[in-house]
Amino acid sequence: MSEPLIEETEEVATARAGGRPLVALESTVIAHGLPWPDNLHAAEALEAAVREAGAVPATIALADGRLKLGLDRDTLERLARGGAPVMKVSRRDFGAVLAHRGLGATTVAGTMAAAALAGIRVMATGGLGGVHRGAEASFDISADLGELARTPVAVVCSGAKSILDLPKTLELLETLGVPLLGYGCARLPAFYLRDSEHAAPARADSPEEVAAILQAQWGLGLGGGALVANPVPQSAALDPARFAGWLAEAEREAALQEVAGKSVTPFLLSRLHALSDGATLAANRALLIDNARLAGRIAVALAAGDGAVAARG
Ligand code: PSU
Ligand code: MN
């Protein structure tokens, strides 16, 4: 008999069996988005934030030939240290990384795909991937967008990453039919920045309101994912003008070094952390934790909604 491809921790298995609220957490931000050892501390803080909200965290990664739902401390540390190369895993990469028994960190797209396999409906990240600047020439558009079109998981994020072309990202989300909810805001937040000049097509002001919208959208059988865009906490938000300066420099370096493909996002994020003397890193950490907490509260509200539907039925 062949070995099972999926392995879950006891905590995740028990939560799934009992219909308890679960939140999937991505691991690319740990392996490729934040530096060691901040990344390990952030990963632990994200799990703690989900628990404080009353839900169970399932950090997703690939290791030892298995798709792991929930990680033990050793696997988390291997991902964070990055001594051995850690693959950046999107939907297309699962088979190759599993068969080669590689170590893989899942992106938003990869985490959504894995969460859906396990019936987990909410995940948290920092900033969504999207349409890169200059995409009209490079065609660099994150697989996160395509995944949102097909996979029924709500992604709690702080908008799309501010290194992206936001108007094009919004256009593509509209084309793909992805619900986008500003959380407590009427305009799209922009990752390190609380605000952009772009209107969010819908708004929700509480976890219960988000859950009601998701339940209506999914209750019709429309499928597909959704975005909940939660602005970075005020105390950690960056000044837009200073950020624009750092980003221009990071982009200049990326062009000079001909960085392309899946390395673009990690390169820009790490250069921004250095150029801003840690300011973007602090903002990234703060928004990640806030998003994990909100995802936990939404998962709790969704589970309560399931109970209400069962009682009515
Ligand atoms: N949010 C962060 N840092 C990150 C990411 C999200 O705060 O590093 C990751 C997510 O895993 C997302 C990926 O899916 O960046 C986007 O990569 P790309 O642009 O190559 O699709
Ligand atoms: Mn890309």
Side-chain angles (χ1 to χ4, degrees), residues 43-236:
E44 289 169 335
L46 294 181
E47 295 194 348
V50 170
R51 288 201 175 89
E52 275 162 34
V56 174
T59 305
I60 311 282
L62 279 60
D64 315 316
R66 306 267 170 87
L67 166 57
K68 307 238 181 194
L69 310 176
L71 303 183
D72 55 44
R73 164 82 200 196
D74 173 63
T75 310
L76 199 59
E77 193 170 324
R78 273 198 285 157
L79 281 170
R81 277 190 186 277
V86 184
M87 305 296 297
K88 181 172 164 183
V89 178
S90 191
R91 169 179 284 268
R92 66 168 184 184
D93 307 301
F94 281 91
V97 176
L98 290 176
H100 296 147
R101 303 182 79 80
L103 189 59
T106 50
T107 63
V108 169
T111 305
M112 287 180 77
L117 290 175
I120 300 174
R121 294 173 292 181
V122 186
M123 69 159 288
T125 183
L128 184 74
V131 182
H132 281 263
R133 295 163 176 223
E136 57 275 29
S138 68
F139 262 60
D140 189 349
I141 299 173
S142 177
D144 293 356
L145 300 186
E147 198 65 38
L148 276 160
R150 69 197 286 187
T151 303
V153 172
V155 178
V156 181
C157 61
S158 296
K161 277 196 268 291
S162 6
I163 57 176
L164 300 167
D165 186 322
L166 292 186
K168 288 194 181 69
T169 301
L170 282 167
E171 286 297 340
L172 195 47
L173 285 168
E174 180 178 351
T175 302
L176 295 172
V178 178
L180 165 53
L181 312 178
Y183 187 77
C185 57
R187 287 194 303 228
L188 184 72
F191 195 42
Y192 304 132
L193 314 177
R194 275 183 70 79
D195 198 15
S196 73
E197 59 195 9
H198 311 292
R203 167 180 183 146
D205 292 304
S206 69
E208 292 72 27
E209 197 177 349
V210 173
I213 292 169
L214 294 174
Q215 258 145 355
Q217 182 85 8
W218 289 334
L220 282 174
L222 290 175
L227 280 174
V228 180
N230 179 34
V232 54
Q234 187 86 60
S235 57

